[in-house]
Amino acid sequence: MVQASVPTSRRRPKLAELISDDIKRWIASESLGEGDRLPNEKALMELYGSAKATVREALKILEVEGLITLKTGPKGGAVINQPGMEPASRMLRNFLHFQQLDGRQVYQLRKLLEVELAVSVVGRLTEADFQQLEANIAACSCCGGEEDHRRQRFLELEFHQLLARACPNPLLAFMCQFLNDMLRDLVVIKKAYVPERKQFDHANQDYHRQLVEAYRTEDTQRVRRIMAEHMQDAEHHMSALEAEMAAQMLISSDSLSGHNHRSKLHDLLSENAAP
Amino acid sequence: MVQASVPTSRRRPKLAELISDDIKRWIASESLGEGDRLPNEKALMELYGSAKATVREALKILEVEGLITLKTGPKGGAVINQPGMEPASRMLRNFLHFQQLDGRQVYQLRKLLEVELAVSVVGRLTEADFQQLEANIAACSCCGGEEDHRRQRFLELEFHQLLARACPNPLLAFMCQFLNDMLRDLVVIKKAYVPERKQFDHANQDYHRQLVEAYRTEDTQRVRRIMAEHMQDAEHHMSALEAEMAAQMLISSDSLSGHNHRSKLHDLLSENAAP
DNA sequence: CTAGATTTGTTCGTATGTATC
DNA sequence: TGATACATACGAACAAATCTA
């Protein structure tokens, strides 16, 4: 049983999947890195004895998985690309879209992971990091107008993203950033959930300020205590939207914002008779 | 900017990606579930005014992401498939393959998450679950021969997988299962790392037995304490392979086992002159 | 700055295999 | 068993993008 690429259902592996797996094995065995180039389509065609479309499908799989990028022109072709966390994040959202997930469960993890992450970056922040953190706090407190609630939330989450980028553990960093992204998109959907928002904003900014202070003095225990309180407090204020997350998670907010696209399929299948 | 499918690099979205995004939007807006069928290729061709290959590529993207499965024959076509955790797990491994990751970092998370998971399933185990757990312990202790160290590890990890399947929080369950899968594949690679293995096996079995006991009496605090100790102990014994994980993570162990495939590309490009 | 070369991106047409009825 | 519907695969050709001279 080879069958590595699409193991969701036991079935006969298709030709393109075998080819993409073979290329993956090649990448792993040669320990290739960013920038190395694969042979061009023609060479792959005659190597595997397959048609152009089949090779293209194999390359498509690798592109969707974020392992290569395809460019046209001379010196173009398939170059190996070390994937960021976006593809993994996207797939995880696809998975969670069909699960029932509520804010309580998100914070069950956030309370653990954000604290662990906060502690793990003590002593690892550069002066540039401190400047970004303090700039974020300043932006948070200054634009505290009543206008744009969402911008406020974005900035607060960005504070945590800055911390995550400094984390030396890539797994921990990924999970925290994923949780932050989910909360960010949740804010996009729920346009206004404004109970006692004012004091919540103030409390958040206070936590962030204290965190930076503790980081300056590299006081690990204080970092742990403040972040734990911060998460506890945030969970309490999240109880407002204690329901139906994971409903609209298939499309990331990047594609939601801007035009409010409706799918062509929806238009066609609902009207079913167009002039 | 639509551009949701492959956001690893900012570039003009290709036609196939736009189509797959549109289909995704359709799935999300109609809140379709498992088993619902998409229009067939011909209908999609004339709907989007694109050729067969282009539509096929769009469907390919959705298939790689685990959102649909393609079947041949009448009543075949693209049926919506609620993705399991395999696609997300695969992408996360792709990401980590290019990061430096060691056993210490894995256990930094495992110590937090396995304990949280263990506590969260107290009172949620059915009698069938208990039977599976006890059967696992029995299999662990009986086949304690010196023959197959790997089988022993597989069974021990399977104990934790059983617990994870009973966890009501899908995010927490995913992360624990992912960590277990990574450790499982690591065992496949490192064929024999046998320092004081015997007493380690015995200790593990003892922890597992005590855990089942505590679950029977629904003693939450005891579950927490035992699992915490179990993870602490396991981390200590993992220090043997404190180095280079994440090297061979691109291909899952399913495809590694069996034939020890070498890639065609490797064969061709190294010899470079075939008779 | 234009022109050509190179390589991917897209399309059409056709043939094959396979599962259902 | 055969007919049908559908995905799968092949091959050739054209279009578009991009580097280089």
Side-chain angles (χ1 to χ4, degrees):
Chain A
M1 297 286 183
V2 169
Q3 199 255 351
S5 251
V6 185
T8 47
S9 70
R10 299 294 176 205
R11 55 165 177 50
R12 190 172 59 82
K14 284 176 246 180
L15 197 54
E17 295 172 9
L18 295 175
I19 294 177
S20 77
D21 280 347
D22 194 67
I23 296 177
K24 259 195 233 179
R25 239 181 319 267
W26 179 59
I27 295 176
S29 69
E30 301 288 318
S31 68
L32 298 179
E34 181 135 29
D36 290 324
R37 292 181 50 202
L38 265 60
N40 61 19
E41 287 186 353
K42 205 173 312 177
L44 292 175
M45 279 172 56
E46 53 195 40
L47 172 57
Y48 291 105
S50 300
K52 187 187 181 76
T54 308
V55 170
R56 270 192 69 69
E57 252 185 304
L59 294 176
K60 192 77 196 173
I61 292 176
L62 297 176
E63 194 196 21
V64 171
E65 295 191 356
L67 287 170
I68 64 173
T69 61
L70 296 167
K71 286 185 308 189
T72 73
K75 284 290 192 291
V79 303
I80 295 182
N81 182 9
Q82 87 176 43
M85 35 184 79
E86 290 85 6
S89 180
R90 182 158 34 92
M91 298 302 227
L92 195 45
R93 298 164 67 97
N94 286 350
F95 166 65
L96 292 173
H97 177 268
F98 292 95
Q99 313 289 328
Q100 50 262 30
L101 185 68
D102 55 42
R104 202 190 103 270
Q105 292 173 324
V106 171
Y107 269 89
Q108 182 183 16
L109 284 168
R110 204 159 133 87
K111 280 192 292 186
L112 287 174
L113 297 179
E114 281 286 342
V115 173
E116 183 75 15
L117 181 135
V119 169
S120 76
V121 300
V122 171
R124 295 188 148 270
L125 293 176
T126 67
E127 190 50 41
D129 291 329
F130 276 115
Q131 286 179 9
Q132 282 188 291
L133 290 173
E134 280 158 356
N136 176 276
I137 292 177
C140 248
S141 63
C142 104
C143 90
E146 314 160 358
E147 194 57 41
D148 203 345
H149 309 283
R150 294 189 291 182
R151 179 170 161 72
Q152 189 80 9
R153 285 287 164 281
F154 285 179
L155 285 170
E156 286 170 5
L157 286 170
E158 184 61 22
F159 183 89
H160 294 269
Q161 297 286 53
L162 289 171
L163 255 48
R165 288 193 198 99
C167 177
N169 185 336
L171 247 174
L172 181 55
F174 169 82
M175 291 175 174
C176 284
Q177 291 201 35
F178 178 78
L179 292 175
N180 290 334
D181 284 337
M182 269 202 345
L183 293 175
R184 182 176 60 90
D185 289 357
L186 202 63
V187 172
V188 173
I189 309 277
K190 320 281 277 194
K191 307 227 170 190
Y193 66 114
V194 277
E196 62 286 350
R197 192 187 66 83
K198 210 105 190 186
Q199 67 192 49
F200 178 40
D201 287 350
H202 189 71
N204 280 341
Q205 290 163 32
D206 206 48
Y207 281 126
H208 289 188
R209 254 187 292 267
Q210 290 188 53
L211 272 173
V212 171
E213 255 183 59
Y215 277 124
R216 286 280 189 196
T217 60
E218 301 194 359
D219 184 345
T220 303
Q221 286 315 310
R222 193 174 167 214
V223 167
R224 178 185 298 276
R225 186 176 51 80
I226 295 172
M227 185 60 92
E229 277 181 35
H230 181 19
M231 287 298 108
Q232 198 78 34
D233 191 50
E235 180 190 24
H236 182 261
H237 284 84
M238 278 290 284
S239 61
L241 40 90
E242 172 84 20
E244 14 81 81
M245 302 187 61
Q248 300 279 350
M249 301 224 335
L250 265 191
I251 310 289
S252 81
S253 68
D254 290 340
S255 58
L256 266 167
S257 66
H259 337 70
N260 204 352
H261 286 295
R262 289 175 58 195
S263 80
K264 277 192 176 183
L265 279 167
H266 178 279
D267 292 346
L268 184 85
L269 296 179
S270 56
E271 300 177 1
N272 215 353
Chain B
M1 297 286 183
V2 170
Q3 201 255 352
S5 251
V6 185
T8 47
S9 70
R10 299 295 175 206
R11 56 166 175 52
R12 191 173 62 82
K14 286 176 241 176
L15 199 62
E17 295 173 10
L18 295 175
I19 294 177
S20 76
D21 280 348
D22 194 67
I23 296 176
K24 258 195 234 178
R25 241 183 315 269
W26 180 58
I27 294 175
S29 70
E30 301 287 319
S31 67
L32 297 177
E34 182 135 29
D36 291 324
R37 293 183 50 202
L38 265 59
N40 61 18
E41 284 189 356
K42 204 173 311 177
L44 293 175
M45 278 172 54
E46 53 195 42
L47 171 57
Y48 291 104
S50 300
K52 185 161 30 187
T54 307
V55 170
R56 225 185 124 59
E57 257 186 300
L59 294 177
K60 194 80 204 168
I61 293 176
L62 297 176
E63 194 197 21
V64 171
E65 295 192 355
L67 287 171
I68 63 173
T69 61
L70 296 166
K71 288 186 307 190
T72 72
K75 282 290 192 292
V79 304
I80 295 183
N81 183 9
Q82 90 175 41
M85 34 185 78
E86 290 86 7
S89 180
R90 182 158 34 92
M91 299 301 223
L92 194 46
R93 298 165 68 99
N94 287 349
F95 166 65
L96 293 173
H97 177 269
F98 293 95
Q99 312 289 329
Q100 50 263 27
L101 185 68
D102 55 40
R104 202 190 103 270
Q105 291 173 324
V106 171
Y107 270 89
Q108 182 182 17
L109 284 168
R110 205 159 132 86
K111 280 192 291 187
L112 287 175
L113 297 180
E114 280 287 342
V115 173
E116 182 75 16
L117 182 135
V119 169
S120 76
V121 299
V122 170
R124 295 188 148 269
L125 294 175
T126 67
E127 190 50 42
D129 291 329
F130 276 116
Q131 285 179 9
Q132 282 188 291
L133 290 173
E134 281 158 356
N136 176 276
I137 292 177
C140 249
S141 63
C142 103
C143 89
E146 314 159 358
E147 193 57 42
D148 202 345
H149 309 282
R150 294 189 290 182
R151 180 171 161 73
Q152 189 79 8
R153 286 287 165 280
F154 284 180
L155 285 171
E156 286 170 5
L157 286 170
E158 184 61 23
F159 182 90
H160 292 270
Q161 298 285 53
L162 290 171
L163 254 47
R165 288 192 199 101
C167 177
N169 185 336
L171 247 175
L172 180 55
F174 169 82
M175 291 174 173
C176 284
Q177 292 201 36
F178 178 78
L179 292 174
N180 290 334
D181 285 336
M182 267 201 347
L183 292 175
R184 181 175 61 90
D185 290 356
L186 201 64
V187 172
V188 173
I189 309 278
K190 319 281 277 195
K191 307 226 171 193
Y193 66 113
V194 277
E196 62 286 350
R197 193 187 66 83
K198 209 105 190 187
Q199 68 191 49
F200 179 40
D201 287 349
H202 189 70
N204 280 341
Q205 289 163 31
D206 206 48
Y207 281 126
H208 289 187
R209 255 188 291 267
Q210 290 187 52
L211 271 173
V212 171
E213 257 183 58
Y215 276 124
R216 287 280 188 194
T217 60
E218 300 194 359
D219 184 344
T220 303
Q221 286 315 310
R222 193 174 167 213
V223 166
R224 178 184 299 276
R225 185 176 51 80
I226 295 173
M227 185 61 92
E229 277 181 36
H230 181 18
M231 287 298 108
Q232 197 78 34
D233 190 51
E235 179 189 25
H236 182 260
H237 285 84
M238 278 291 283
S239 60
L241 40 91
E242 172 83 22
E244 15 81 83
M245 302 186 62
Q248 299 279 351
M249 300 225 335
L250 266 189
I251 309 289
S252 80
S253 68
D254 290 340
S255 59
L256 265 167
S257 67
H259 336 70
N260 203 352
H261 286 296
R262 289 175 57 198
S263 80
K264 277 193 177 183
L265 279 167
H266 178 277
D267 293 346
L268 184 84
L269 296 179
S270 57
E271 299 178 1
N272 215 354

